[in-house]
Amino acid sequence: MNLKKIKIPIGILFKKLGINHPSSIFDEKGFSFPNFYNIYVKDPQGNFKRIQYFVTKKSDTYKVLTKKSTLYVSDKHLILENGKLKTIKEATSIDYLDGNYKILSKEKYKSNDIVYDITIDSPHLYVLGDGSIHHN
């Protein structure tokens, strides 16, 4: 498999792929779009996993600060905390490839915002460019 590595914010990726619909048609359940583009992400073991679907929906979003990074995520977004799945709202720390980092601050960023997500096959875990581990 011949892959090209790029780092791109997920919202920009969706727009480049043409997955940007008027916000008036979104709801909490959102919409799923199949991956016709052979785009992959890395899992925590370093293996490439093919994105199965691109998902857009509306949700409240949070700005979450750790020593490693600042994340902007849905209030229902699942991350790993000490190896266990937690929503960002209930988490007090986040697992990264190099360890667990305490959440220094967490504040509501926007209400009813358009959020972007991906789905991959089991175990449904992927790693962002900052090393944080997420669940789809």
Side-chain angles (χ1 to χ4, degrees):
M1 176 176 1
N2 188 11
L3 299 175
K4 180 179 180 181
K5 179 181 178 178
I6 62 169
K7 287 185 181 181
I8 185 169
I10 195 166
I12 292 172
L13 172 63
F14 274 54
K15 287 181 177 123
K16 287 191 177 286
L17 296 175
I19 305 171
N20 53 341
H21 294 277
S23 60
S24 60
I25 66 171
F26 288 106
D27 61 19
E28 189 175 279
K29 293 180 184 176
F31 292 90
S32 294
F33 304 91
N35 179 6
F36 298 115
Y37 310 98
N38 283 327
I39 297 174
Y40 293 76
V41 293
K42 275 193 179 178
D43 69 11
Q45 290 73 39
N47 301 311
F48 287 100
K49 294 282 207 167
R50 187 174 185 276
I51 295 172
Q52 298 298 314
Y53 290 94
F54 298 96
V55 181
T56 57
K57 54 190 165 188
K58 280 198 167 185
S59 179
D60 292 343
T61 54
Y62 280 78
K63 178 181 178 182
V64 181
L65 176 67
T66 69
K67 182 179 176 181
K68 291 274 295 186
S69 63
T70 302
L71 302 170
Y72 295 87
V73 295
S74 163
D75 61 342
K76 297 172 188 82
H77 187 69
L78 293 171
I79 53 91
L80 282 186
E81 179 180 58
N82 297 311
K84 296 183 179 174
L85 288 175
K86 296 258 182 113
T87 66
I88 202 67
K89 276 179 76 171
E90 63 187 4
T92 59
S93 65
I94 299 174
D95 289 355
Y96 288 77
L97 290 176
D98 65 346
N100 179 274
Y101 290 84
K102 180 182 176 185
I103 293 175
L104 303 173
S105 69
K106 181 176 11 180
E107 60 188 55
K108 191 168 184 179
Y109 183 65
K110 290 184 180 177
S111 294
N112 208 26
D113 198 13
I114 295 174
V115 295
Y116 306 94
D117 202 357
I118 59 172
T119 61
I120 59 173
D121 285 337
S122 184
H124 307 286
L125 298 175
Y126 62 94
V127 178
L128 293 185
D130 64 6
S132 57
I133 302 171
H134 299 258
H135 185 277
N136 57 268

